[in-house]
Amino acid sequence: MRTVTATALALALAAAAAAPAAATPNGPSTEGLWRMDGYGTVLSLDGDTFQEFQTTSVSCLKGDTARRTGPATYTTTDGTVLTVRPGPNKNRASLGADSSVGHRTLRRIHALPAECTRPTPEDPRTAFDVFWHSFAENYPFFAAKGIDWQAVRDRYRPKVDDDTTRNELFALFSDMVRPLYDAHVAVQDGDRVFAQGRPGTDMPTQELDTKVKKFIGERDLKGAPYRQDFANGRITYADLPGGTDQGYLRISGFGGYIPEDAPYAAHLAELDKALDAILTKERTRRLKGLIIDLRVNGGGSDALGIHIAERLTDQPYVAYAKRARNHPTEPGRHTSPEPVPVVPADGPRYTGPIAVLTGGSTVSAGETFTQALINRPGGTIRIGQPTQGVFSDVMERKLPGGMTAILPNEEFLNRSGHTYDGTGIPPHLTEPVFTKEEFAKQRDSAFDRAVSVLRNDG
């Protein structure tokens, strides 16, 4: 298994610098048909149209579309900007999304798969087969979770026939994935969704976030000489009271920074406003410790997490490496791990000791941000409980008949080449996090431990 090192980062940055420029009217063309390494996806780039085809070994359904907005860029209906760049020859290219980290390798093909050229039946058994194959060919964690997916098929497929109702099929799909206890797995039918987290954890809801934010404000931040909310209330910063020269930064998500639906660039701009106000030259010089509270964090954009990490270092380093499952029948085959760099941002940066507070309600991009701080120069300690244990971007796979399967297919590797999927990232120091007893006794043990640890470090 390949280990991600500083050397790998240097090679990755050098490769990026030497990469071909984006396609131009007079340069290499990315028009045509492409198969993506991993992800079970075929793309058609035809004039101003970007069309996705979601494929398995038994199916092909049209997926998302995007419109061309530049020589190498396409914009989806939700505002995500996709960039397609030519590779080392006319038969290779890469795809990146502005809200995600890493890139996806494209290989030119000369015809659509046969399944893409004919209608897909919409009967219940076909929907079952597409659902089962979507997981069988993409989900990376069956072995780690002790799930025999073939046995699941053998048990449930005989229950499906032409008379199976939509409600029955939704319930059956939910039962099939229930034992995975994976917060990045879901079955969706309109407004109806089945999803669940790791046993013993609470998923981050608006209700929980509001309760915790009020508790922290009244208990931990009372008397703070400076305290302000930013980014639509998703970010809170306070200088802690008592003359400790410690700061407190609470992040409840990596997105939702402006009230209305908006593209990634708008959220990034709002984040920069917040960071500019928080990490001033005077404050970064004065602070002797910073608590970053991720205990209720619903995730969002990994790229926004990397952007924050770039404000917390004066040395480049590798956050993690990202790879995807890349074979329909061999779960052990993956795309080449791509190191994701953290490059120091321009302007004031905080580079001193950090205490990161985490728990089971730290989910997805909240976890990848936590992972991005593990190798951070300057000293970072984790306090609380393990994170939820889901890191991958999610695949949304359309099913015949209108339902959607949601699942992960990627791994975020640490420096040893392992992942924290399933178990979550463990803390260095274990403390209870927002238990009934903590609330009842007005205690915040993880916060108090962080204050003490940073005071001693300072």
Side-chain angles (χ1 to χ4, degrees):
M1 191 170 291
R2 180 171 148 190
T3 299
V4 181
T5 64
T7 300
L9 171 60
L11 291 173
L13 295 178
T24 66
N26 298 319
S29 173
T30 56
E31 292 276 305
L33 300 171
W34 301 89
R35 183 180 292 279
M36 193 180 295
D37 282 358
Y39 303 92
T41 299
V42 168
L43 300 178
S44 171
L45 307 183
D46 184 7
D48 291 336
T49 302
F50 175 110
Q51 175 66 61
E52 175 191 69
F53 294 88
Q54 300 173 355
T55 69
T56 70
S57 58
V58 299
S59 64
C60 176
L61 286 87
K62 282 189 175 182
D64 294 335
T65 61
R67 71 183 191 283
R68 185 186 291 274
T69 49
T73 59
Y74 301 82
T75 302
T76 66
T77 54
D78 68 0
T80 300
V81 177
L82 306 174
T83 300
V84 181
R85 296 184 181 276
N89 59 59
K90 65 179 182 179
N91 293 321
R92 294 285 188 92
S94 69
L95 171 69
D98 59 355
S99 59
S100 298
V101 297
H103 301 84
R104 302 180 184 185
T105 297
L106 306 179
R107 300 176 188 271
R108 189 181 293 277
I109 58 176
H110 299 290
L112 287 172
E115 292 82 1
C116 300
T117 63
R118 53 181 178 256
T120 300
E122 296 193 353
D123 61 283
R125 277 207 161 182
T126 300
F128 179 97
D129 288 341
V130 175
F131 181 84
W132 186 86
H133 278 277
S134 294
F135 280 85
E137 297 174 15
N138 295 287
Y139 190 74
F141 308 122
F142 286 124
K145 294 176 180 287
I147 301 297
D148 183 341
W149 194 239
Q150 181 63 49
V152 171
R153 182 184 187 278
D154 294 343
R155 176 183 176 187
Y156 285 98
R157 195 173 190 276
K159 299 181 180 183
V160 181
D161 56 33
D162 288 343
D163 296 325
T164 300
T165 67
R166 193 181 189 98
N167 286 341
E168 290 170 339
L169 198 60
F170 179 86
L172 184 143
F173 289 161
S174 301
D175 287 343
M176 289 172 66
V177 298
R178 193 182 308 274
L180 296 175
Y181 292 107
D182 188 324
H184 270 177
V185 168
V187 183
Q188 182 174 5
D189 184 15
D191 294 333
R192 178 171 53 172
V193 178
F194 170 81
Q196 63 181 357
R198 178 163 54 84
T201 65
D202 294 318
M203 293 305 292
T205 62
Q206 184 59 56
E207 181 182 12
L208 178 61
D209 184 62
T210 300
K211 177 181 179 180
V212 165
K213 186 174 182 178
K214 182 174 184 290
F215 176 80
I216 289 171
E218 295 174 350
R219 195 265 184 197
D220 300 332
L221 306 183
K222 185 178 180 180
Y226 173 87
R227 173 182 165 188
Q228 187 172 344
D229 283 346
F230 301 90
N232 199 28
R234 306 303 298 275
I235 295 173
T236 299
Y237 178 80
D239 289 324
L240 293 184
T244 62
D245 283 333
Q246 293 181 11
Y248 171 86
L249 177 62
R250 181 174 186 266
I251 307 170
S252 65
F254 294 92
Y257 292 163
I258 48 182
E260 67 277 4
D261 291 338
Y264 169 79
H267 294 281
L268 178 61
E270 196 67 20
L271 175 61
D272 273 330
K273 286 183 188 177
L275 295 176
D276 288 343
I278 294 166
L279 298 177
T280 63
K281 184 179 295 186
E282 185 277 333
R283 184 172 282 121
T284 55
R285 176 190 58 79
R286 172 175 53 81
L287 284 183
K288 296 178 181 177
L290 178 64
I291 298 171
I292 300 180
D293 192 346
L294 306 173
R295 287 175 292 178
V296 181
N297 186 294
S301 166
D302 298 325
L304 291 177
I306 292 295
H307 195 72
I308 297 174
E310 292 174 341
R311 298 282 192 119
L312 302 174
T313 182
D314 58 2
Q315 301 175 44
Y317 67 96
V318 170
Y320 40 73
K322 184 176 178 180
R323 71 181 184 182
R325 182 175 162 182
N326 195 28
H327 195 278
T329 60
E330 297 182 28
R333 289 176 59 176
H334 301 86
T335 59
S336 297
E338 180 180 1
V340 176
V342 176
V343 180
D346 295 332
R349 301 182 296 270
Y350 173 75
T351 59
I354 289 177
V356 180
L357 308 184
T358 66
S361 302
T362 309
V363 178
S364 194
E367 301 185 78
T368 66
F369 176 62
T370 301
Q371 188 170 354
L373 298 181
I374 290 177
N375 297 324
R376 168 188 173 268
T380 301
I381 189 166
R382 300 184 304 279
I383 301 173
Q385 294 289 315
T387 63
Q388 175 65 214
V390 291
F391 296 78
S392 172
D393 294 350
V394 294
M395 304 174 69
E396 296 189 8
R397 312 301 282 186
K398 297 181 179 181
L399 303 177
M403 282 190 265
T404 301
I406 298 170
L407 66 151
N409 71 318
E410 299 171 337
E411 296 178 340
F412 283 59
L413 307 178
N414 62 18
R415 193 154 55 178
S416 300
H418 297 100
T419 80
Y420 299 102
D421 286 282
T423 60
I425 299 175
H428 295 106
L429 303 174
T430 300
E431 294 288 351
V433 172
F434 303 134
T435 63
K436 290 182 180 179
E437 184 180 12
E438 290 268 296
F439 282 127
K441 295 185 176 181
Q442 286 290 299
R443 289 197 314 227
D444 192 348
S445 300
F447 176 89
D448 291 348
R449 187 78 178 271
V451 170
S452 175
V453 167
L454 291 176
R455 182 185 297 123
N456 291 334
D457 281 352

